[in-house]
Amino acid sequence: MHERFRQELLRLLLVVAAVLLLGWLSGAWALALAAGLGGYILWQLRQVYLFEEWLMGVKSNRRALSGTWDLAAERIERIRQRARQRKKRMSRLLHRFHDTLETLPDAALILDRDRRILWFNSAARELLGLDAASRERRLTRVLSGKGLRRWLAEGLPARPLEIERSGPPRRELQLRLLHFGEEQFLLTAHDVTELKRVQQVRRDFIANVSHELRTPLTVVKGYLEILAEDELPPQTKEALRASLRQAQRMEQLVADLLMLSRLEMEEAPPGDEVVEVPRLLDALAQDARRLALTHGDHPLTLRIDRALGVRGSESELTSAFGNLLFNALLHTPAGTPVEVTWEKRDGGARLTVADRGPGIDPEHLERLTERFYRVDKGRSRERGGTGLGLSIVRHVLARHGGRIEIESRPGEGSRFIGLFPAERLVKLDSPSSSSDR
Ligand code: ADP
């Protein structure tokens, strides 16, 4: 038993002893009991009073507390001390956190759940033009940018948002929103002006070089074509044919580079052009059959939902779907089947090009849509590939709000899947689903 409890018990025993003594001496047992209990209760009431005052801040009362009240006060003191230490630690942590945010070159803002600004660092003054008056105001009142409201309405957006500040100096900023603490958010703004400028220089350079190469290439190819028709010694003729093949390859490379530059630089295709995907796939299948004459035949099966179209750019989709289909024909041995499926799936639409070719090792899958990434450079070139096809496909799908997925098993074949979101789908007035060769 705790020492203070023993003290309290002793006190009670003393009261009982006093009551017994008083009762025995006086014979008035009831009076003696009332006096003893009354005294004890009054003493306890005074302890409660002192205890309550001590709780409210009268420190001197602490010494007057005894027994169980002393014990309760001691326990509370210990809890208070621990809370004080925790507060100190938290405050140190908070200071460190603020100091860290303060030294960041990125703008950092703490927002409440209504996206009101609670705090911001010095970089936010410089990058976003905030000042003391910005505090307690909603973010959308002090910052504007294309798509900002929609982005914030997403709650906790998965992807960063890029906005432009007119300046001077004009800046391009990348915003990220993170959940932090209770119902608080950390918004960071990273200055990507320089990065964007370098990317633009790179894009302009590639677009300009490709453009400048186009005319001389057309001339060279034209002369080579004319010369190859002439009666010439077989050796010279073969040399001319080889040069012509290389010129054609270069022409394709330039065309793909120009296409990629355009995809990167232009706005996403508007949603008002309806693309009749079934017709587009039929035309590609015809081209594929023509290709079979030079590159070997493949049993080609089309499973097409004929009532399914998408809103977007016909030329871009022709290029993307064409790349997937021709890859399946060019990167697989002649005679192996290829199946193209166009169907509704999970609310959106899905194009699948499946082959039974050699497949692709898992280590390559992630990088396959990068520019010039080829599993086997030599073989790809031999087959007329530029290494840009899947990069074009990825860009085109992203511009249509979709994405590409690749499934492949070495030795079994590959499935290249193009996914489109529901908002891009259109119902076509054509007969329903069909399957043909
Ligand atoms: P390429 O012009 O070389 O076809 P792509 O970007 O279209 O360039 O494809 C990149 C690489 O992916 C190809 O070089 C090839 O190694 C691999 N690849 C693409 N499609 C297939 C396929 N259906 N089967 C096996 N490998 C493929």
Side-chain angles (χ1 to χ4, degrees):
M1 195 193 287
H2 197 280
E3 197 232 327
R4 300 314 201 308
F5 276 114
R6 234 177 293 141
Q7 203 181 14
E8 195 66 52
L9 206 65
L10 198 68
R11 199 186 328 270
L12 201 62
L13 284 175
L14 277 175
V15 172
V16 172
V19 165
L20 287 176
L21 186 68
L22 219 67
W24 182 64
L25 286 177
S26 65
W29 286 99
L31 203 68
L33 189 67
L37 277 181
Y40 185 70
I41 289 169
L42 273 178
W43 182 85
Q44 286 291 356
L45 274 178
R46 185 174 144 68
Q47 286 285 303
V48 172
Y49 176 74
L50 291 172
F51 183 78
E52 198 272 342
E53 269 197 331
W54 170 78
L55 268 182
M56 300 315 287
V58 183
K59 286 205 179 118
S60 54
N61 284 5
R62 177 69 181 83
R63 261 171 288 127
L65 296 174
S66 86
T68 45
W69 296 102
D70 185 30
L71 180 66
E74 191 184 295
R75 294 271 148 89
I76 288 176
E77 239 167 16
R78 219 176 291 158
I79 292 170
R80 276 180 170 175
Q81 199 176 354
R82 244 180 274 148
R84 267 198 301 274
Q85 277 168 354
R86 205 174 310 138
K87 203 167 143 189
K88 231 189 255 170
R89 257 204 318 269
M90 290 303 285
S91 139
R92 266 205 303 268
L93 211 69
L94 201 68
H95 270 109
R96 216 177 303 153
F97 176 64
H98 276 196
D99 289 350
T100 312
L101 290 184
E102 206 44 61
T103 49
L104 273 184
D106 291 350
L109 286 77
I110 296 177
L111 311 174
D112 68 8
R113 67 160 191 233
D114 297 323
R115 310 294 190 263
R116 255 178 245 278
I117 301 172
L118 299 177
W119 182 89
F120 54 84
N121 65 357
S122 334
R125 287 175 200 271
E126 205 213 324
L127 286 178
L128 307 176
L130 303 189
D131 56 25
S134 313
R135 224 161 256 151
E136 297 295 323
R137 296 184 70 189
R138 272 178 196 269
L139 182 71
T140 43
R141 295 211 163 249
V142 293
L143 194 66
S144 58
K146 204 171 151 206
L148 180 64
R149 277 174 193 276
R150 210 172 337 120
W151 185 71
L152 286 173
E154 279 178 38
L156 210 57
R159 264 180 288 179
L161 174 78
E162 277 172 17
I163 60 164
E164 221 181 279
R165 283 208 66 226
S166 40
R170 193 191 70 83
R171 285 185 204 277
E172 289 193 57
L173 301 167
Q174 190 180 61
L175 307 184
R176 280 175 199 278
L177 192 65
L178 307 163
H179 196 213
F180 136 79
E182 270 177 33
E183 295 291 301
Q184 290 196 347
F185 297 86
L186 176 70
L187 179 99
T188 59
H190 180 59
D191 190 350
V192 287
T193 321
E194 187 53 23
L195 182 74
K196 290 275 154 185
R197 199 188 62 77
V198 173
Q199 281 177 349
Q200 189 60 41
V201 168
R202 177 183 62 85
R203 279 199 291 264
D204 288 349
F205 175 76
I206 292 175
N208 289 336
V209 168
S210 315
H211 198 77
E212 293 299 325
L213 278 174
R214 211 157 56 156
T215 318
L217 247 176
T218 315
V219 175
V220 169
K221 203 184 111 201
Y223 279 120
L224 285 173
E225 271 166 356
I226 296 168
L227 285 173
E229 297 295 313
D230 285 352
E231 280 300 319
L232 291 164
Q235 248 183 335
T236 318
K237 208 162 171 108
E238 187 40 48
L240 275 174
R241 285 217 186 97
S243 308
L244 189 59
R245 274 198 301 277
Q246 292 306 320
Q248 279 162 343
R249 237 177 64 72
M250 259 181 102
E251 200 177 44
Q252 187 56 48
L253 191 66
V254 167
D256 281 358
L257 278 172
L258 277 171
M259 171 95 180
L260 261 179
S261 301
R262 205 170 54 70
L263 292 176
E264 278 186 333
M265 283 197 253
E266 284 179 12
E267 292 270 310
D272 46 10
E273 187 191 338
V274 173
V275 183
E276 290 179 32
V277 178
R279 193 174 48 74
L280 187 157
L281 290 173
D282 286 339
L284 285 173
Q286 279 211 344
D287 291 346
R289 278 167 204 136
R290 239 171 276 138
L291 186 85
L293 300 176
T294 49
H295 284 79
D297 198 9
H298 291 262
L300 176 64
T301 315
L302 301 185
R303 292 186 199 285
I304 301 178
D305 180 343
R306 299 219 156 252
L308 191 58
V310 291
R311 290 180 201 282
S313 154
E314 175 146 358
S315 63
E316 288 183 21
L317 291 177
T318 307
S319 172
F321 293 176
N323 269 311
L324 293 182
L325 178 58
F326 294 123
N327 272 351
L329 303 171
L330 293 173
H331 294 294
T332 58
T336 53
V338 171
E339 188 175 277
V340 177
T341 314
W342 173 240
E343 61 192 337
K344 266 194 183 164
R345 218 8 115 85
D346 305 328
R350 187 167 87 162
L351 176 94
T352 312
V353 180
D355 66 54
R356 304 258 189 84
I360 303 156
D361 261 346
E363 60 174 304
H364 298 294
L365 289 183
E366 212 171 297
R367 299 196 55 197
L368 219 54
T369 60
E370 285 175 19
R371 283 160 196 240
F372 295 114
Y373 190 88
R374 284 171 284 200
V375 176
D376 184 334
K377 271 195 174 40
R379 285 183 76 172
S380 161
R381 277 203 206 101
E382 209 178 278
R383 289 165 190 183
T386 61
L388 296 171
L390 290 177
S391 185
I392 291 177
V393 177
R394 179 167 58 89
H395 272 85
V396 169
L397 290 173
R399 282 161 63 82
H400 286 77
R403 64 177 197 280
I404 179 172
E405 281 179 5
I406 307 170
E407 296 167 2
S408 189
R409 269 171 203 267
E412 289 181 24
S414 316
R415 280 156 59 88
F416 288 77
I417 302 162
L419 296 160
F420 291 85
E423 60 268 22
R424 285 269 172 184
L425 303 196
V426 188
K427 190 169 174 356
L428 303 172
D429 313 318
S430 311
S432 63
S433 180
S434 88
S435 163
D436 46 304
R437 186 201 137 171

